[in-house]
Amino acid sequence: MANSYIGALLAIIAFGTYMAPLKKWPLFSSWTFLPVLSWGLFISANIVGLITNTINWNYIGLLCGFIWVGGGALCFWAVQKEEDLAGTGVRSMGVSILTSFLIGIFLFKESTHLYLSIPAIIAILFGLSLLAPKGMKFLRNWRSLGAGAIFGSYLIPYQLSKMDYMDFVYPFSAGIFITSHLLIFFLFKKKAIQITPIKGAVFASIGAGVLWMIGTHGCFWALNGLGYAIGYPLTQLNLLVNLLWGVVIFKEYPTTNERLRIGFAAAIILTGALFLTLARA
């Protein structure tokens, strides 16, 4: 059980950090970041696969990789169209947490202490709402909401398959690698996006892919020990780490009021996370 919580913490730190190149190099487009990121995660997946003899092309992993890229594309599209970077992340994460919790309870019939888990989810969502800009319109924000629904559900085929996660990781990363390149090639040919290669950002993004893969292993440790309803929502608290790097390293949210608001929201979210860790039956 201890490994499950260590895995959740590892996923939170890795998933909250891997998008740092987009903060460091604002002109480095997210559409360039996606395929370069996939190089890092696919290289690391090949290394691990060779060491553990788990390289395979299982269709379930490929399918989940395809779905994950769909969520990432919606998220990047939301950043462009909704013109609300902070709100996009909060909405996506909130829907992802709620979706994964409901899937664990109703689809996978996981047993939790509902008197703890339901208030925990409510507290987490309330804390996230404090971080979001005021106002939300479904017709305008459907992209970020859709991305959250995908990120909260893309592992359903894996969970239903009962396959070992080490046999899943390689085809999953391969699915992301292949689909992200096909997507970017299609959008570039349609002149729907611009590719902005920046040398430092490219190398950092490959490293981010390796970090993402480390976080993914942690995510599966959490899922295997805590279940979908508890383990996955915990791994989605990476926004707190992202905010921490924004304040400490990138000097975002410079005013006292902004930092107090973030601190208050983080305290509520962490309280919800604490109750969630106690909710496993």
Side-chain angles (χ1 to χ4, degrees), residues 182-200:
L182 290 175
L183 173 66
I184 298 306
F185 177 77
F186 173 78
L187 292 176
F188 184 73
K189 291 292 286 185
K190 292 289 185 179
K191 302 187 185 311
I193 61 170
Q194 290 184 335
I195 303 297
T196 55
I198 300 174
K199 186 176 181 181

PDB file of all heavy atoms in Angstrom, residues 182-200:
ATOM      1  N   LEU A 182       1.082  11.779 -36.367  1.00  0.00           N
ATOM      2  CA  LEU A 182       0.062  11.816 -37.421  1.00  0.00           C
ATOM      3  C   LEU A 182      -0.813  13.059 -37.292  1.00  0.00           C
ATOM      4  O   LEU A 182      -1.134  13.716 -38.292  1.00  0.00           O
ATOM      5  CB  LEU A 182      -0.812  10.559 -37.356  1.00  0.00           C
ATOM      6  CG  LEU A 182      -0.140   9.243 -37.770  1.00  0.00           C
ATOM      7  CD1 LEU A 182      -1.091   8.067 -37.544  1.00  0.00           C
ATOM      8  CD2 LEU A 182       0.301   9.293 -39.234  1.00  0.00           C
ATOM      9  N   LEU A 183      -1.184  13.399 -36.056  1.00  0.00           N
ATOM     10  CA  LEU A 183      -2.027  14.567 -35.820  1.00  0.00           C
ATOM     11  C   LEU A 183      -1.316  15.846 -36.234  1.00  0.00           C
ATOM     12  O   LEU A 183      -1.882  16.691 -36.951  1.00  0.00           O
ATOM     13  CB  LEU A 183      -2.420  14.640 -34.343  1.00  0.00           C
ATOM     14  CG  LEU A 183      -3.168  15.904 -33.905  1.00  0.00           C
ATOM     15  CD1 LEU A 183      -4.537  15.962 -34.573  1.00  0.00           C
ATOM     16  CD2 LEU A 183      -3.296  15.948 -32.387  1.00  0.00           C
ATOM     17  N   ILE A 184      -0.066  16.009 -35.799  1.00  0.00           N
ATOM     18  CA  ILE A 184       0.675  17.231 -36.112  1.00  0.00           C
ATOM     19  C   ILE A 184       0.939  17.330 -37.608  1.00  0.00           C
ATOM     20  O   ILE A 184       0.847  18.419 -38.198  1.00  0.00           O
ATOM     21  CB  ILE A 184       2.002  17.267 -35.319  1.00  0.00           C
ATOM     22  CG1 ILE A 184       1.717  17.278 -33.817  1.00  0.00           C
ATOM     23  CG2 ILE A 184       2.835  18.465 -35.721  1.00  0.00           C
ATOM     24  CD1 ILE A 184       0.789  18.383 -33.358  1.00  0.00           C
ATOM     25  N   PHE A 185       1.242  16.201 -38.253  1.00  0.00           N
ATOM     26  CA  PHE A 185       1.467  16.210 -39.702  1.00  0.00           C
ATOM     27  C   PHE A 185       0.200  16.662 -40.424  1.00  0.00           C
ATOM     28  O   PHE A 185       0.250  17.502 -41.339  1.00  0.00           O
ATOM     29  CB  PHE A 185       1.875  14.820 -40.176  1.00  0.00           C
ATOM     30  CG  PHE A 185       2.055  14.715 -41.669  1.00  0.00           C
ATOM     31  CD1 PHE A 185       3.192  15.222 -42.288  1.00  0.00           C
ATOM     32  CD2 PHE A 185       1.070  14.113 -42.459  1.00  0.00           C
ATOM     33  CE1 PHE A 185       3.341  15.139 -43.676  1.00  0.00           C
ATOM     34  CE2 PHE A 185       1.223  14.027 -43.823  1.00  0.00           C
ATOM     35  CZ  PHE A 185       2.359  14.541 -44.444  1.00  0.00           C
ATOM     36  N   PHE A 186      -0.948  16.146 -40.018  1.00  0.00           N
ATOM     37  CA  PHE A 186      -2.224  16.507 -40.643  1.00  0.00           C
ATOM     38  C   PHE A 186      -2.525  17.989 -40.446  1.00  0.00           C
ATOM     39  O   PHE A 186      -2.881  18.706 -41.405  1.00  0.00           O
ATOM     40  CB  PHE A 186      -3.345  15.650 -40.058  1.00  0.00           C
ATOM     41  CG  PHE A 186      -4.716  16.054 -40.519  1.00  0.00           C
ATOM     42  CD1 PHE A 186      -5.173  15.691 -41.779  1.00  0.00           C
ATOM     43  CD2 PHE A 186      -5.547  16.805 -39.696  1.00  0.00           C
ATOM     44  CE1 PHE A 186      -6.438  16.066 -42.217  1.00  0.00           C
ATOM     45  CE2 PHE A 186      -6.809  17.184 -40.118  1.00  0.00           C
ATOM     46  CZ  PHE A 186      -7.259  16.820 -41.380  1.00  0.00           C
ATOM     47  N   LEU A 187      -2.386  18.480 -39.210  1.00  0.00           N
ATOM     48  CA  LEU A 187      -2.692  19.885 -38.926  1.00  0.00           C
ATOM     49  C   LEU A 187      -1.719  20.825 -39.642  1.00  0.00           C
ATOM     50  O   LEU A 187      -2.104  21.894 -40.119  1.00  0.00           O
ATOM     51  CB  LEU A 187      -2.642  20.135 -37.414  1.00  0.00           C
ATOM     52  CG  LEU A 187      -3.734  19.451 -36.581  1.00  0.00           C
ATOM     53  CD1 LEU A 187      -3.505  19.692 -35.104  1.00  0.00           C
ATOM     54  CD2 LEU A 187      -5.119  19.936 -36.998  1.00  0.00           C
ATOM     55  N   PHE A 188      -0.452  20.410 -39.720  1.00  0.00           N
ATOM     56  CA  PHE A 188       0.542  21.240 -40.394  1.00  0.00           C
ATOM     57  C   PHE A 188       0.265  21.311 -41.895  1.00  0.00           C
ATOM     58  O   PHE A 188       0.359  22.381 -42.508  1.00  0.00           O
ATOM     59  CB  PHE A 188       1.942  20.682 -40.136  1.00  0.00           C
ATOM     60  CG  PHE A 188       3.042  21.524 -40.725  1.00  0.00           C
ATOM     61  CD1 PHE A 188       3.382  22.744 -40.160  1.00  0.00           C
ATOM     62  CD2 PHE A 188       3.736  21.102 -41.853  1.00  0.00           C
ATOM     63  CE1 PHE A 188       4.395  23.528 -40.699  1.00  0.00           C
ATOM     64  CE2 PHE A 188       4.749  21.867 -42.403  1.00  0.00           C
ATOM     65  CZ  PHE A 188       5.080  23.084 -41.819  1.00  0.00           C
ATOM     66  N   LYS A 189      -0.109  20.191 -42.479  1.00  0.00           N
ATOM     67  CA  LYS A 189      -0.420  20.181 -43.914  1.00  0.00           C
ATOM     68  C   LYS A 189      -1.647  21.041 -44.209  1.00  0.00           C
ATOM     69  O   LYS A 189      -1.747  21.654 -45.280  1.00  0.00           O
ATOM     70  CB  LYS A 189      -0.669  18.745 -44.384  1.00  0.00           C
ATOM     71  CG  LYS A 189       0.574  17.864 -44.384  1.00  0.00           C
ATOM     72  CD  LYS A 189       1.578  18.287 -45.433  1.00  0.00           C
ATOM     73  CE  LYS A 189       1.132  17.899 -46.820  1.00  0.00           C
ATOM     74  NZ  LYS A 189       2.155  18.198 -47.847  1.00  0.00           N
ATOM     75  N   LYS A 190      -2.580  21.091 -43.261  1.00  0.00           N
ATOM     76  CA  LYS A 190      -3.781  21.907 -43.418  1.00  0.00           C
ATOM     77  C   LYS A 190      -3.533  23.373 -43.056  1.00  0.00           C
ATOM     78  O   LYS A 190      -4.456  24.195 -43.117  1.00  0.00           O
ATOM     79  CB  LYS A 190      -4.905  21.356 -42.534  1.00  0.00           C
ATOM     80  CG  LYS A 190      -5.438  19.996 -42.968  1.00  0.00           C
ATOM     81  CD  LYS A 190      -6.246  20.115 -44.250  1.00  0.00           C
ATOM     82  CE  LYS A 190      -6.887  18.796 -44.633  1.00  0.00           C
ATOM     83  NZ  LYS A 190      -7.696  18.910 -45.871  1.00  0.00           N
ATOM     84  N   LYS A 191      -2.260  23.673 -42.671  1.00  0.00           N
ATOM     85  CA  LYS A 191      -1.872  25.025 -42.256  1.00  0.00           C
ATOM     86  C   LYS A 191      -2.714  25.514 -41.070  1.00  0.00           C
ATOM     87  O   LYS A 191      -2.991  26.713 -40.924  1.00  0.00           O
ATOM     88  CB  LYS A 191      -1.992  26.013 -43.426  1.00  0.00           C
ATOM     89  CG  LYS A 191      -1.147  25.639 -44.636  1.00  0.00           C
ATOM     90  CD  LYS A 191      -1.163  26.727 -45.688  1.00  0.00           C
ATOM     91  CE  LYS A 191      -0.430  26.320 -46.956  1.00  0.00           C
ATOM     92  NZ  LYS A 191       0.885  25.771 -46.761  1.00  0.00           N
ATOM     93  N   ALA A 192      -3.099  24.561 -40.215  1.00  0.00           N
ATOM     94  CA  ALA A 192      -3.895  24.903 -39.031  1.00  0.00           C
ATOM     95  C   ALA A 192      -3.015  25.255 -37.837  1.00  0.00           C
ATOM     96  O   ALA A 192      -3.496  25.851 -36.869  1.00  0.00           O
ATOM     97  CB  ALA A 192      -4.823  23.748 -38.663  1.00  0.00           C
ATOM     98  N   ILE A 193      -1.740  24.884 -37.892  1.00  0.00           N
ATOM     99  CA  ILE A 193      -0.816  25.171 -36.793  1.00  0.00           C
ATOM    100  C   ILE A 193       0.530  25.603 -37.362  1.00  0.00           C
ATOM    101  O   ILE A 193       0.800  25.435 -38.555  1.00  0.00           O
ATOM    102  CB  ILE A 193      -0.601  23.928 -35.890  1.00  0.00           C
ATOM    103  CG1 ILE A 193       0.013  22.780 -36.713  1.00  0.00           C
ATOM    104  CG2 ILE A 193      -1.898  23.505 -35.224  1.00  0.00           C
ATOM    105  CD1 ILE A 193       0.467  21.612 -35.877  1.00  0.00           C
ATOM    106  N   GLN A 194       1.359  26.141 -36.480  1.00  0.00           N
ATOM    107  CA  GLN A 194       2.736  26.483 -36.829  1.00  0.00           C
ATOM    108  C   GLN A 194       3.687  25.675 -35.958  1.00  0.00           C
ATOM    109  O   GLN A 194       3.426  25.466 -34.770  1.00  0.00           O
ATOM    110  CB  GLN A 194       2.995  27.982 -36.625  1.00  0.00           C
ATOM    111  CG  GLN A 194       2.274  28.868 -37.638  1.00  0.00           C
ATOM    112  CD  GLN A 194       2.648  30.332 -37.462  1.00  0.00           C
ATOM    113  OE1 GLN A 194       3.035  30.761 -36.386  1.00  0.00           O
ATOM    114  NE2 GLN A 194       2.530  31.097 -38.539  1.00  0.00           N
ATOM    115  N   ILE A 195       4.771  25.214 -36.558  1.00  0.00           N
ATOM    116  CA  ILE A 195       5.809  24.499 -35.825  1.00  0.00           C
ATOM    117  C   ILE A 195       6.896  25.503 -35.456  1.00  0.00           C
ATOM    118  O   ILE A 195       7.400  26.223 -36.327  1.00  0.00           O
ATOM    119  CB  ILE A 195       6.408  23.357 -36.670  1.00  0.00           C
ATOM    120  CG1 ILE A 195       5.292  22.394 -37.119  1.00  0.00           C
ATOM    121  CG2 ILE A 195       7.474  22.610 -35.887  1.00  0.00           C
ATOM    122  CD1 ILE A 195       4.588  21.701 -35.984  1.00  0.00           C
ATOM    123  N   THR A 196       7.237  25.547 -34.161  1.00  0.00           N
ATOM    124  CA  THR A 196       8.215  26.542 -33.693  1.00  0.00           C
ATOM    125  C   THR A 196       9.371  25.847 -32.979  1.00  0.00           C
ATOM    126  O   THR A 196       9.415  25.810 -31.744  1.00  0.00           O
ATOM    127  CB  THR A 196       7.546  27.546 -32.733  1.00  0.00           C
ATOM    128  OG1 THR A 196       6.911  26.815 -31.659  1.00  0.00           O
ATOM    129  CG2 THR A 196       6.501  28.374 -33.445  1.00  0.00           C
ATOM    130  N   PRO A 197      10.309  25.263 -33.719  1.00  0.00           N
ATOM    131  CA  PRO A 197      11.441  24.583 -33.065  1.00  0.00           C
ATOM    132  C   PRO A 197      12.390  25.581 -32.400  1.00  0.00           C
ATOM    133  O   PRO A 197      12.854  26.526 -33.025  1.00  0.00           O
ATOM    134  CB  PRO A 197      12.123  23.844 -34.225  1.00  0.00           C
ATOM    135  CG  PRO A 197      11.759  24.644 -35.440  1.00  0.00           C
ATOM    136  CD  PRO A 197      10.390  25.198 -35.182  1.00  0.00           C
ATOM    137  N   ILE A 198      12.632  25.395 -31.125  1.00  0.00           N
ATOM    138  CA  ILE A 198      13.596  26.194 -30.373  1.00  0.00           C
ATOM    139  C   ILE A 198      14.541  25.199 -29.713  1.00  0.00           C
ATOM    140  O   ILE A 198      14.101  24.341 -28.935  1.00  0.00           O
ATOM    141  CB  ILE A 198      12.893  27.077 -29.314  1.00  0.00           C
ATOM    142  CG1 ILE A 198      11.909  28.036 -29.996  1.00  0.00           C
ATOM    143  CG2 ILE A 198      13.921  27.847 -28.496  1.00  0.00           C
ATOM    144  CD1 ILE A 198      11.069  28.836 -29.023  1.00  0.00           C
ATOM    145  N   LYS A 199      15.834  25.305 -30.006  1.00  0.00           N
ATOM    146  CA  LYS A 199      16.795  24.261 -29.645  1.00  0.00           C
ATOM    147  C   LYS A 199      16.717  23.875 -28.171  1.00  0.00           C
ATOM    148  O   LYS A 199      16.571  22.703 -27.824  1.00  0.00           O
ATOM    149  CB  LYS A 199      18.210  24.719 -30.008  1.00  0.00           C
ATOM    150  CG  LYS A 199      19.268  23.628 -29.801  1.00  0.00           C
ATOM    151  CD  LYS A 199      20.629  24.100 -30.277  1.00  0.00           C
ATOM    152  CE  LYS A 199      21.680  23.013 -30.101  1.00  0.00           C
ATOM    153  NZ  LYS A 199      23.026  23.460 -30.542  1.00  0.00           N
ATOM    154  N   GLY A 200      16.804  24.842 -27.288  1.00  0.00           N
ATOM    155  CA  GLY A 200      16.770  24.542 -25.858  1.00  0.00           C
ATOM    156  C   GLY A 200      15.467  23.904 -25.447  1.00  0.00           C
ATOM    157  O   GLY A 200      15.440  22.958 -24.643  1.00  0.00           O
TER     158      GLY A 200
END
